[in-house]
PDB file of all heavy atoms in Angstrom:
ATOM      1  N   SER A  75     127.191 145.947 112.321  1.00 83.00           N
ATOM      2  CA  SER A  75     126.560 146.018 111.025  1.00 83.00           C
ATOM      3  C   SER A  75     125.364 145.187 111.013  1.00 83.00           C
ATOM      4  O   SER A  75     124.908 144.738 111.952  1.00 83.00           O
ATOM      5  CB  SER A  75     127.673 145.278 110.152  1.00 83.00           C
ATOM      6  OG  SER A  75     127.266 145.363 108.790  1.00 83.00           O
ATOM      7  N   GLU A  76     124.801 144.924 109.808  1.00 83.00           N
ATOM      8  CA  GLU A  76     123.685 144.174 109.620  1.00 83.00           C
ATOM      9  C   GLU A  76     124.140 142.702 109.902  1.00 83.00           C
ATOM     10  O   GLU A  76     125.273 142.374 109.701  1.00 83.00           O
ATOM     11  CB  GLU A  76     123.055 144.317 108.182  1.00 83.00           C
ATOM     12  CG  GLU A  76     124.086 143.909 107.085  1.00 83.00           C
ATOM     13  CD  GLU A  76     123.533 144.202 105.776  1.00 83.00           C
ATOM     14  OE1 GLU A  76     122.582 145.027 105.626  1.00 83.00           O
ATOM     15  OE2 GLU A  76     124.045 143.519 104.792  1.00 83.00           O
ATOM     16  N   PRO A  77     123.132 141.732 110.269  1.00 80.00           N
ATOM     17  CA  PRO A  77     123.469 140.470 110.375  1.00 80.00           C
ATOM     18  C   PRO A  77     124.045 139.791 109.249  1.00 80.00           C
ATOM     19  O   PRO A  77     123.473 140.032 108.132  1.00 80.00           O
ATOM     20  CB  PRO A  77     122.112 139.752 110.893  1.00 80.00           C
ATOM     21  CG  PRO A  77     121.170 140.902 111.169  1.00 80.00           C
ATOM     22  CD  PRO A  77     121.631 142.057 110.490  1.00 80.00           C
ATOM     23  N   ARG A  78     125.162 139.039 109.394  1.00 79.00           N
ATOM     24  CA  ARG A  78     125.699 138.248 108.313  1.00 79.00           C
ATOM     25  C   ARG A  78     125.899 136.890 108.698  1.00 79.00           C
ATOM     26  O   ARG A  78     126.335 136.582 109.786  1.00 79.00           O
ATOM     27  CB  ARG A  78     127.079 138.926 107.872  1.00 79.00           C
ATOM     28  CG  ARG A  78     126.991 140.466 107.504  1.00 79.00           C
ATOM     29  CD  ARG A  78     126.255 140.682 106.356  1.00 79.00           C
ATOM     30  NE  ARG A  78     126.962 140.242 105.069  1.00 79.00           N
ATOM     31  CZ  ARG A  78     127.744 140.925 104.289  1.00 79.00           C
ATOM     32  NH1 ARG A  78     127.986 142.309 104.694  1.00 79.00           N
ATOM     33  NH2 ARG A  78     128.350 140.467 103.280  1.00 79.00           N
ATOM     34  N   ARG A  79     125.784 135.944 107.774  1.00 75.00           N
ATOM     35  CA  ARG A  79     126.095 134.525 108.064  1.00 75.00           C
ATOM     36  C   ARG A  79     127.641 134.434 107.662  1.00 75.00           C
ATOM     37  O   ARG A  79     128.201 134.909 106.801  1.00 75.00           O
ATOM     38  CB  ARG A  79     125.328 133.669 107.061  1.00 75.00           C
ATOM     39  CG  ARG A  79     123.875 133.416 107.550  1.00 75.00           C
ATOM     40  CD  ARG A  79     123.183 132.320 106.635  1.00 75.00           C
ATOM     41  NE  ARG A  79     123.569 132.385 105.217  1.00 75.00           N
ATOM     42  CZ  ARG A  79     122.728 132.576 104.276  1.00 75.00           C
ATOM     43  NH1 ARG A  79     121.509 132.587 104.476  1.00 75.00           N
ATOM     44  NH2 ARG A  79     123.165 132.440 103.029  1.00 75.00           N
ATOM     45  N   LEU A  80     128.171 133.381 108.456  1.00 74.00           N
ATOM     46  CA  LEU A  80     129.480 133.226 108.254  1.00 74.00           C
ATOM     47  C   LEU A  80     129.676 131.806 107.523  1.00 74.00           C
ATOM     48  O   LEU A  80     128.827 131.013 107.533  1.00 74.00           O
ATOM     49  CB  LEU A  80     130.298 133.035 109.650  1.00 74.00           C
ATOM     50  CG  LEU A  80     130.193 134.286 110.533  1.00 74.00           C
ATOM     51  CD1 LEU A  80     131.093 134.133 111.724  1.00 74.00           C
ATOM     52  CD2 LEU A  80     130.833 135.507 109.772  1.00 74.00           C
ATOM     53  N   PRO A  81     130.900 131.609 106.805  1.00 66.00           N
ATOM     54  CA  PRO A  81     130.990 130.336 106.094  1.00 66.00           C
ATOM     55  C   PRO A  81     131.293 129.341 107.081  1.00 66.00           C
ATOM     56  O   PRO A  81     131.535 129.429 108.296  1.00 66.00           O
ATOM     57  CB  PRO A  81     132.358 130.673 105.361  1.00 66.00           C
ATOM     58  CG  PRO A  81     132.830 131.798 105.929  1.00 66.00           C
ATOM     59  CD  PRO A  81     131.898 132.632 106.656  1.00 66.00           C
ATOM     60  N   GLN A  82     130.894 127.988 106.718  1.00 65.00           N
ATOM     61  CA  GLN A  82     131.096 126.794 107.545  1.00 65.00           C
ATOM     62  C   GLN A  82     132.615 126.759 107.934  1.00 65.00           C
ATOM     63  O   GLN A  82     133.401 127.237 107.201  1.00 65.00           O
ATOM     64  CB  GLN A  82     130.589 125.654 106.784  1.00 65.00           C
ATOM     65  CG  GLN A  82     129.010 125.643 106.541  1.00 65.00           C
ATOM     66  CD  GLN A  82     128.294 125.703 107.761  1.00 65.00           C
ATOM     67  OE1 GLN A  82     128.779 125.248 108.928  1.00 65.00           O
ATOM     68  NE2 GLN A  82     127.089 126.387 107.636  1.00 65.00           N
ATOM     69  N   PRO A  83     132.892 126.250 108.904  1.00 60.00           N
ATOM     70  CA  PRO A  83     132.099 125.469 109.979  1.00 60.00           C
ATOM     71  C   PRO A  83     131.368 126.287 110.943  1.00 60.00           C
ATOM     72  O   PRO A  83     130.643 125.846 111.708  1.00 60.00           O
ATOM     73  CB  PRO A  83     133.149 124.539 110.734  1.00 60.00           C
ATOM     74  CG  PRO A  83     134.390 125.281 110.656  1.00 60.00           C
ATOM     75  CD  PRO A  83     134.387 126.127 109.347  1.00 60.00           C
ATOM     76  N   GLY A  84     131.671 127.668 111.038  1.00 54.00           N
ATOM     77  CA  GLY A  84     131.085 128.534 112.083  1.00 54.00           C
ATOM     78  C   GLY A  84     129.679 128.758 111.790  1.00 54.00           C
ATOM     79  O   GLY A  84     128.834 128.892 112.736  1.00 54.00           O
ATOM     80  N   GLY A  85     129.254 128.757 110.471  1.00 51.00           N
ATOM     81  CA  GLY A  85     127.784 128.965 110.123  1.00 51.00           C
ATOM     82  C   GLY A  85     127.254 130.278 110.682  1.00 51.00           C
ATOM     83  O   GLY A  85     127.645 131.382 110.411  1.00 51.00           O
ATOM     84  N   LEU A  86     126.290 130.159 111.651  1.00 52.00           N
ATOM     85  CA  LEU A  86     125.635 131.362 112.241  1.00 52.00           C
ATOM     86  C   LEU A  86     126.245 131.722 113.548  1.00 52.00           C
ATOM     87  O   LEU A  86     125.719 132.484 114.240  1.00 52.00           O
ATOM     88  CB  LEU A  86     124.121 131.106 112.337  1.00 52.00           C
ATOM     89  CG  LEU A  86     123.275 130.895 111.074  1.00 52.00           C
ATOM     90  CD1 LEU A  86     121.858 130.630 111.403  1.00 52.00           C
ATOM     91  CD2 LEU A  86     123.366 132.103 110.254  1.00 52.00           C
ATOM     92  N   CYS A  87     127.321 131.167 114.043  1.00 65.00           N
ATOM     93  CA  CYS A  87     127.891 131.398 115.345  1.00 65.00           C
ATOM     94  C   CYS A  87     126.824 131.112 116.408  1.00 65.00           C
ATOM     95  O   CYS A  87     126.671 131.866 117.396  1.00 65.00           O
ATOM     96  CB  CYS A  87     128.405 132.876 115.390  1.00 65.00           C
ATOM     97  SG  CYS A  87     129.845 133.118 114.500  1.00 65.00           S
ATOM     98  N   ASN A  88     126.070 130.075 116.210  1.00 57.00           N
ATOM     99  CA  ASN A  88     125.071 129.609 117.183  1.00 57.00           C
ATOM    100  C   ASN A  88     124.120 130.840 117.596  1.00 57.00           C
ATOM    101  O   ASN A  88     123.414 130.929 118.578  1.00 57.00           O
ATOM    102  CB  ASN A  88     125.718 129.293 118.623  1.00 57.00           C
ATOM    103  CG  ASN A  88     126.533 128.053 118.310  1.00 57.00           C
ATOM    104  OD1 ASN A  88     126.303 127.113 117.547  1.00 57.00           O
ATOM    105  ND2 ASN A  88     127.729 128.052 119.103  1.00 57.00           N
ATOM    106  N   LEU A  89     123.854 131.647 116.533  1.00 62.00           N
ATOM    107  CA  LEU A  89     122.777 132.689 116.554  1.00 62.00           C
ATOM    108  C   LEU A  89     121.661 132.435 115.551  1.00 62.00           C
ATOM    109  O   LEU A  89     121.922 131.783 114.487  1.00 62.00           O
ATOM    110  CB  LEU A  89     123.391 134.165 116.353  1.00 62.00           C
ATOM    111  CG  LEU A  89     124.560 134.484 117.326  1.00 62.00           C
ATOM    112  CD1 LEU A  89     125.286 135.668 116.873  1.00 62.00           C
ATOM    113  CD2 LEU A  89     123.884 134.778 118.774  1.00 62.00           C
ATOM    114  N   GLU A  90     120.547 132.891 115.841  1.00 65.00           N
ATOM    115  CA  GLU A  90     119.461 132.732 114.903  1.00 65.00           C
ATOM    116  C   GLU A  90     119.601 133.511 113.606  1.00 65.00           C
ATOM    117  O   GLU A  90     119.197 132.942 112.499  1.00 65.00           O
ATOM    118  CB  GLU A  90     118.108 133.142 115.546  1.00 65.00           C
ATOM    119  CG  GLU A  90     116.889 132.721 114.917  1.00 65.00           C
ATOM    120  CD  GLU A  90     115.663 133.068 115.834  1.00 65.00           C
ATOM    121  OE1 GLU A  90     115.674 132.654 116.941  1.00 65.00           O
ATOM    122  OE2 GLU A  90     114.708 133.625 115.263  1.00 65.00           O
ATOM    123  N   THR A  91     120.118 134.618 113.636  1.00 68.00           N
ATOM    124  CA  THR A  91     120.241 135.530 112.537  1.00 68.00           C
ATOM    125  C   THR A  91     121.659 135.661 111.948  1.00 68.00           C
ATOM    126  O   THR A  91     121.878 136.331 110.981  1.00 68.00           O
ATOM    127  CB  THR A  91     119.595 136.960 112.695  1.00 68.00           C
ATOM    128  OG1 THR A  91     120.350 137.575 113.669  1.00 68.00           O
ATOM    129  CG2 THR A  91     118.171 136.736 113.030  1.00 68.00           C
ATOM    130  N   GLY A  92     122.509 135.246 112.665  1.00 72.00           N
ATOM    131  CA  GLY A  92     124.039 135.580 112.389  1.00 72.00           C
ATOM    132  C   GLY A  92     124.552 136.709 113.164  1.00 72.00           C
ATOM    133  O   GLY A  92     123.725 137.520 113.684  1.00 72.00           O
ATOM    134  N   PRO A  93     125.864 136.899 113.311  1.00 77.00           N
ATOM    135  CA  PRO A  93     126.387 137.976 113.997  1.00 77.00           C
ATOM    136  C   PRO A  93     126.178 139.378 113.466  1.00 77.00           C
ATOM    137  O   PRO A  93     126.146 139.483 112.287  1.00 77.00           O
ATOM    138  CB  PRO A  93     127.885 137.570 114.137  1.00 77.00           C
ATOM    139  CG  PRO A  93     128.098 136.718 112.867  1.00 77.00           C
ATOM    140  CD  PRO A  93     126.910 136.079 112.604  1.00 77.00           C
ATOM    141  N   GLU A  94     126.038 140.262 114.331  1.00 80.00           N
ATOM    142  CA  GLU A  94     125.914 141.792 114.023  1.00 80.00           C
ATOM    143  C   GLU A  94     127.143 142.604 114.452  1.00 80.00           C
ATOM    144  O   GLU A  94     127.271 143.692 113.955  1.00 80.00           O
ATOM    145  CB  GLU A  94     124.630 142.253 114.648  1.00 80.00           C
ATOM    146  CG  GLU A  94     123.429 141.684 114.310  1.00 80.00           C
ATOM    147  CD  GLU A  94     122.199 142.331 114.905  1.00 80.00           C
ATOM    148  OE1 GLU A  94     122.238 143.333 115.724  1.00 80.00           O
ATOM    149  OE2 GLU A  94     120.985 141.919 114.674  1.00 80.00           O
ATOM    150  N   THR A  95     127.865 142.037 115.329  1.00 83.00           N
ATOM    151  CA  THR A  95     129.086 142.785 115.800  1.00 83.00           C
ATOM    152  C   THR A  95     130.255 141.979 115.312  1.00 83.00           C
ATOM    153  O   THR A  95     130.315 140.803 115.474  1.00 83.00           O
ATOM    154  CB  THR A  95     129.079 143.073 117.287  1.00 83.00           C
ATOM    155  OG1 THR A  95     128.995 141.795 117.971  1.00 83.00           O
ATOM    156  CG2 THR A  95     127.887 143.911 117.655  1.00 83.00           C
ATOM    157  N   PHE A  96     131.273 142.677 114.936  1.00 85.00           N
ATOM    158  CA  PHE A  96     132.493 142.094 114.331  1.00 85.00           C
ATOM    159  C   PHE A  96     133.711 142.801 114.899  1.00 85.00           C
ATOM    160  O   PHE A  96     133.848 144.068 114.730  1.00 85.00           O
ATOM    161  CB  PHE A  96     132.470 142.197 112.747  1.00 85.00           C
ATOM    162  CG  PHE A  96     131.486 141.539 112.072  1.00 85.00           C
ATOM    163  CD1 PHE A  96     130.186 142.132 111.856  1.00 85.00           C
ATOM    164  CD2 PHE A  96     131.622 140.171 111.547  1.00 85.00           C
ATOM    165  CE1 PHE A  96     129.129 141.461 111.233  1.00 85.00           C
ATOM    166  CE2 PHE A  96     130.602 139.649 111.016  1.00 85.00           C
ATOM    167  CZ  PHE A  96     129.374 140.266 110.802  1.00 85.00           C
ATOM    168  N   GLN A  97     134.443 142.021 115.643  1.00 85.00           N
ATOM    169  CA  GLN A  97     135.773 142.606 116.219  1.00 85.00           C
ATOM    170  C   GLN A  97     136.879 142.609 115.121  1.00 85.00           C
ATOM    171  O   GLN A  97     137.128 141.609 114.559  1.00 85.00           O
ATOM    172  CB  GLN A  97     136.109 141.705 117.499  1.00 85.00           C
ATOM    173  CG  GLN A  97     137.374 142.263 118.115  1.00 85.00           C
ATOM    174  CD  GLN A  97     137.626 141.452 119.368  1.00 85.00           C
ATOM    175  OE1 GLN A  97     136.828 140.707 119.746  1.00 85.00           O
ATOM    176  NE2 GLN A  97     138.796 141.734 119.998  1.00 85.00           N
ATOM    177  N   LEU A  98     137.515 143.673 115.134  1.00 87.00           N
ATOM    178  CA  LEU A  98     138.651 143.837 113.997  1.00 87.00           C
ATOM    179  C   LEU A  98     139.851 143.654 114.875  1.00 87.00           C
ATOM    180  O   LEU A  98     140.276 144.441 115.705  1.00 87.00           O
ATOM    181  CB  LEU A  98     138.588 145.231 113.464  1.00 87.00           C
ATOM    182  CG  LEU A  98     137.536 145.653 112.590  1.00 87.00           C
ATOM    183  CD1 LEU A  98     137.607 147.006 112.030  1.00 87.00           C
ATOM    184  CD2 LEU A  98     137.157 144.650 111.361  1.00 87.00           C
ATOM    185  N   ILE A  99     140.604 142.684 114.435  1.00 84.00           N
ATOM    186  CA  ILE A  99     142.007 142.398 115.133  1.00 84.00           C
ATOM    187  C   ILE A  99     143.081 143.145 114.384  1.00 84.00           C
ATOM    188  O   ILE A  99     143.234 142.974 113.157  1.00 84.00           O
ATOM    189  CB  ILE A  99     142.281 140.883 115.070  1.00 84.00           C
ATOM    190  CG1 ILE A  99     141.061 139.980 115.730  1.00 84.00           C
ATOM    191  CG2 ILE A  99     143.613 140.532 115.771  1.00 84.00           C
ATOM    192  CD1 ILE A  99     140.932 140.337 117.248  1.00 84.00           C
ATOM    193  N   THR A 100     143.796 143.996 115.173  1.00 86.00           N
ATOM    194  CA  THR A 100     144.818 144.785 114.542  1.00 86.00           C
ATOM    195  C   THR A 100     146.119 143.956 114.510  1.00 86.00           C
ATOM    196  O   THR A 100     146.448 143.364 115.561  1.00 86.00           O
ATOM    197  CB  THR A 100     145.028 146.106 115.191  1.00 86.00           C
ATOM    198  OG1 THR A 100     145.220 145.900 116.586  1.00 86.00           O
ATOM    199  CG2 THR A 100     143.772 146.958 115.011  1.00 86.00           C
ATOM    200  N   SER A 101     146.882 143.823 113.480  1.00 84.00           N
ATOM    201  CA  SER A 101     148.127 143.053 113.388  1.00 84.00           C
ATOM    202  C   SER A 101     149.333 144.019 113.499  1.00 84.00           C
ATOM    203  O   SER A 101     150.409 143.476 113.612  1.00 84.00           O
ATOM    204  CB  SER A 101     148.138 142.179 112.207  1.00 84.00           C
ATOM    205  OG  SER A 101     148.101 142.929 111.047  1.00 84.00           O
ATOM    206  N   SER A 102     149.079 145.335 113.399  1.00 86.00           N
ATOM    207  CA  SER A 102     150.247 146.183 113.451  1.00 86.00           C
ATOM    208  C   SER A 102     149.834 147.515 114.151  1.00 86.00           C
ATOM    209  O   SER A 102     148.572 147.786 114.230  1.00 86.00           O
ATOM    210  CB  SER A 102     150.829 146.442 111.951  1.00 86.00           C
ATOM    211  OG  SER A 102     149.938 147.157 111.256  1.00 86.00           O
ATOM    212  N   ASN A 103     150.843 148.392 114.459  1.00 87.00           N
ATOM    213  CA  ASN A 103     150.423 149.640 115.016  1.00 87.00           C
ATOM    214  C   ASN A 103     150.011 150.527 113.912  1.00 87.00           C
ATOM    215  O   ASN A 103     149.211 151.424 114.235  1.00 87.00           O
ATOM    216  CB  ASN A 103     151.799 150.231 115.630  1.00 87.00           C
ATOM    217  CG  ASN A 103     152.257 149.550 116.902  1.00 87.00           C
ATOM    218  OD1 ASN A 103     151.431 148.947 117.503  1.00 87.00           O
ATOM    219  ND2 ASN A 103     153.461 149.777 117.113  1.00 87.00           N
ATOM    220  N   ALA A 104     150.360 150.321 112.758  1.00 88.00           N
ATOM    221  CA  ALA A 104     149.755 151.211 111.581  1.00 88.00           C
ATOM    222  C   ALA A 104     148.307 150.918 111.420  1.00 88.00           C
ATOM    223  O   ALA A 104     147.424 151.858 111.267  1.00 88.00           O
ATOM    224  CB  ALA A 104     150.430 150.748 110.283  1.00 88.00           C
ATOM    225  N   GLN A 105     147.819 149.732 111.481  1.00 87.00           N
ATOM    226  CA  GLN A 105     146.407 149.298 111.435  1.00 87.00           C
ATOM    227  C   GLN A 105     145.607 150.042 112.662  1.00 87.00           C
ATOM    228  O   GLN A 105     144.493 150.615 112.460  1.00 87.00           O
ATOM    229  CB  GLN A 105     146.076 148.000 111.409  1.00 87.00           C
ATOM    230  CG  GLN A 105     146.265 147.198 110.112  1.00 87.00           C
ATOM    231  CD  GLN A 105     145.799 145.806 110.070  1.00 87.00           C
ATOM    232  OE1 GLN A 105     145.921 145.142 111.162  1.00 87.00           O
ATOM    233  NE2 GLN A 105     145.437 145.249 108.892  1.00 87.00           N
ATOM    234  N   ALA A 106     146.283 149.891 113.753  1.00 87.00           N
ATOM    235  CA  ALA A 106     145.548 150.520 115.052  1.00 87.00           C
ATOM    236  C   ALA A 106     145.458 152.020 114.867  1.00 87.00           C
ATOM    237  O   ALA A 106     144.442 152.608 115.260  1.00 87.00           O
ATOM    238  CB  ALA A 106     146.414 150.167 116.268  1.00 87.00           C
ATOM    239  N   ALA A 107     146.521 152.635 114.210  1.00 88.00           N
ATOM    240  CA  ALA A 107     146.500 154.062 114.205  1.00 88.00           C
ATOM    241  C   ALA A 107     145.396 154.537 113.045  1.00 88.00           C
ATOM    242  O   ALA A 107     144.669 155.543 113.320  1.00 88.00           O
ATOM    243  CB  ALA A 107     147.859 154.598 113.626  1.00 88.00           C
TER     244      ALA A 107
END
Side-chain angles (χ1 to χ4, degrees):
S75 181
E76 63 187 19
R78 303 290 293 265
R79 283 191 320 241
L80 298 183
Q82 293 298 332
L86 293 176
C87 288
N88 298 324
L89 299 170
E90 194 172 307
T91 61
E94 294 180 5
T95 58
F96 297 85
Q97 181 176 350
L98 298 177
I99 303 294
T100 56
S101 59
S102 67
N103 289 338
Q105 280 187 334

